Amino acid sequence: MDYKDAFRSALERVRSEGRYRVFADLKRHRGQFPRATWTQTDGTQGDVTVWCSNDYLGQGQNPLVLDAMHKAINEAGAGSGGTRNISGTTHYHVELELELADLHGKEAALLFTSGYVSNEASLSTLYKILPGLIIFSDELNHNSMISGIRAGGRDSRRVFRHNDLEHLEQLLIEAPADAPKVIAFESVYSMDGDIADLPGTVALAKKYGAMTYLDEVHAVGMYGPRGAGVAERDGVMDQIDIVEGTLGKAFGVMGGYIAADAVIVDAIRSYADGFIFTTSIPPALAAGAVASIRYLKDHNEVREAHQERAATLKARLKKAGLPVMPSVSHIVPVLVGDAVHCKMISDILLADYGIYVQPINYPTVPRGTERLRFTPSPAHTDDMMEHLAEALEKLWVHCNIARVGGVAA
């Protein structure tokens, strides 16, 4: 067998569908978010405005966060030294877990190396702890959740239509009454920008004796008076059994976590392969996360400014007649509906207008719903928005994209 030919063929299939990904070589400017320098393959450089960062609030540039990270490096060095079970538990990790537990009003928290790992490891571990468990999963849950849920096998999961509580209840009714149950869902769905009905989901969980597992990855730091997420905003945090979040988006660093009752956290800590066998995050990241969380707990005005910027961008793009997809969150998706056109627009925006936004294609979203996903931050100015809107107006005509529905002509 020609193994290299198999790899070449796999890549060609991706290219033929117009969804081959090319990474932009970017260097962010400290203190000037969302500005960055783009280096092209020929070495040519130019300044760009980043419109698709998940560092939603620019906390990766917050001087308090950077100072905390520098201080930790000077005090403790670079790496953590190993897994948490061997030599990788430091005071910085302990302090961060206490801070996260306080943020979510829970007894304990547990750090992972990423949000993906925290979801996959925690959900797959629930099957080890709860024999016969059935997990009820929203059909648009993140790949990391799906991966963890699949660990239980086909008979151990039920998939309900997105944000459809009637369908969820029907599945709960049909399930064995004595089977352990977990409802796994997200608060903010990052590709469409919609938000789940948390009170309604909690009510169903209580009615049918299920636990709740809530992914707040795209909400922590950005919703609620202290930034604990949509569950805090909607007043149901105390009724969520396991909250999962990330440090790599609104908090501006890297890592994932869960927060729950101490006995739940301790059991997952003791059984989760993704925790046990993985080197812990460096002390500097933990220290930076602590500084970021503490800052956002006390600065709700940052969240208010963020929501205002998102609303302003939606209004400006809609005024231009662009197909902004319905979104009740900070996510601003613009429908293109074709992978080739989506990448074409993205490439031209970067090369000709200094605007960086990655195309969102399959498998991240279903085929036919390809889009540009904009994430305005408090640092995106009116002038930046005007420049973006004018560029998109020109390109929608230049690239022959129909205004109605955003489908390629």
Side-chain angles (χ1 to χ4, degrees):
M1 178 178 182
D2 187 338
Y3 289 102
K4 287 188 178 180
D5 186 61
F7 286 97
R8 282 190 289 267
S9 296
L11 285 172
E12 184 53 38
R13 288 195 297 272
V14 176
R15 288 192 176 95
S16 67
E17 294 173 7
R19 58 184 184 90
Y20 179 75
R21 299 179 187 272
V22 177
F23 298 145
D25 180 347
L26 298 177
K27 182 186 290 185
R28 298 205 294 176
H29 301 168
R30 176 175 174 172
Q32 298 179 42
F33 184 80
R35 303 296 292 170
T37 295
W38 172 43
T39 301
Q40 301 182 54
T41 54
D42 63 359
T44 304
Q45 293 186 326
D47 285 346
V48 300
T49 302
V50 178
W51 275 101
C52 55
S53 175
N54 283 344
D55 184 359
Y56 291 127
L57 304 178
Q59 284 292 101
Q61 300 294 314
N62 187 326
L64 294 176
V65 175
L66 302 183
D67 288 347
M69 295 180 73
H70 282 296
K71 184 172 184 290
I73 290 174
N74 292 335
E75 291 178 348
S80 66
T83 68
R84 294 284 296 277
N85 287 341
I86 298 177
S87 61
T89 295
T90 72
H91 178 70
Y92 302 93
H93 298 94
V94 174
E95 187 176 33
L96 177 53
E97 287 173 342
L98 290 172
E99 199 68 41
L100 289 165
D102 174 79
L103 175 67
H104 292 288
K106 301 298 183 185
E107 294 177 350
L110 186 66
L111 280 173
F112 293 85
T113 50
S114 73
Y116 192 104
V117 174
S118 57
N119 265 334
E120 185 178 48
S122 298
L123 286 164
S124 62
T125 299
L126 293 180
Y127 290 114
K128 300 178 184 179
I129 299 169
L130 301 169
L133 171 66
I134 299 173
I135 296 184
F136 298 80
S137 173
D138 188 290
E139 67 176 338
L140 293 190
N141 276 342
H142 190 265
N143 181 273
S144 58
M145 300 177 75
I146 295 169
S147 181
I149 292 167
R150 281 177 176 164
R154 183 175 298 275
D155 293 337
S156 65
R157 63 181 183 267
R158 306 287 187 274
V159 179
F160 60 94
R161 290 187 291 272
H162 178 53
N163 280 347
D164 188 336
L165 294 188
E166 289 185 5
H167 188 214
L168 171 59
E169 182 165 23
Q170 176 186 335
L171 295 177
L172 287 164
I173 291 171
E174 294 171 354
D178 59 348
K181 303 173 183 68
V182 171
I183 301 172
F185 63 115
E186 300 182 38
S187 55
V188 177
Y189 288 84
S190 63
M191 290 301 115
D192 292 338
D194 55 344
I195 297 178
D197 178 354
L198 271 63
T201 306
V202 165
L204 285 180
K206 289 181 177 179
K207 183 176 180 180
Y208 294 97
M211 293 179 64
T212 46
Y213 182 103
L214 177 64
D215 178 319
E216 289 257 41
V217 158
H218 291 275
V220 289
M222 297 180 293
Y223 295 86
R226 294 202 311 160
V230 176
E232 180 188 37
R233 185 199 71 176
D234 292 355
V236 296
M237 180 67 76
D238 61 330
Q239 300 169 68
I240 300 295
D241 294 296
I242 303 174
V243 178
E244 185 270 344
T246 185
L247 307 171
K249 293 183 170 58
F251 294 129
V253 286
M254 179 183 175
Y257 66 88
I258 60 167
D261 289 345
V263 66
I264 295 174
V265 169
D266 200 17
I268 292 175
R269 179 187 70 88
S270 300
Y271 282 86
D273 291 346
F275 173 82
I276 295 170
F277 297 104
T278 302
T279 298
S280 60
I281 63 173
L285 286 179
V290 168
S292 184
I293 293 165
R294 287 176 178 170
Y295 178 84
L296 289 177
K297 282 178 178 177
D298 294 333
H299 290 272
N300 192 49
E301 74 276 5
V302 177
R303 283 179 284 279
E304 292 174 347
H306 183 237
Q307 290 294 321
E308 182 276 325
R309 291 285 78 191
T312 298
L313 181 61
K314 290 175 190 176
R316 179 62 185 88
L317 297 184
K318 288 178 181 177
K319 181 180 178 182
L322 295 160
V324 179
M325 300 172 70
S327 167
V328 295
S329 70
H330 57 282
I331 307 295
V332 185
V334 176
L335 181 65
V336 178
D338 177 83
V340 173
H341 281 77
C342 198
K343 179 145 189 341
M344 182 191 305
I345 294 174
S346 172
D347 289 346
I348 297 173
L349 283 172
L350 182 59
D352 295 353
Y353 296 92
I355 292 170
Y356 176 64
V357 57
Q358 277 282 26
I360 305 296
N361 295 330
Y362 178 85
T364 306
V365 296
R367 288 185 173 89
T369 68
E370 291 84 0
R371 67 201 65 178
L372 299 172
R373 174 183 175 272
F374 298 96
T375 53
S377 74
H380 284 86
T381 66
D382 286 342
D383 287 343
M384 290 176 181
M385 292 187 182
E386 190 64 26
H387 178 56
L388 171 64
E390 290 176 355
L392 287 173
E393 284 185 272
K394 292 176 183 176
L395 289 181
W396 236 251
V397 175
H398 176 74
C399 296
N400 196 27
I401 307 294
R403 286 299 178 96
V404 179
V407 180

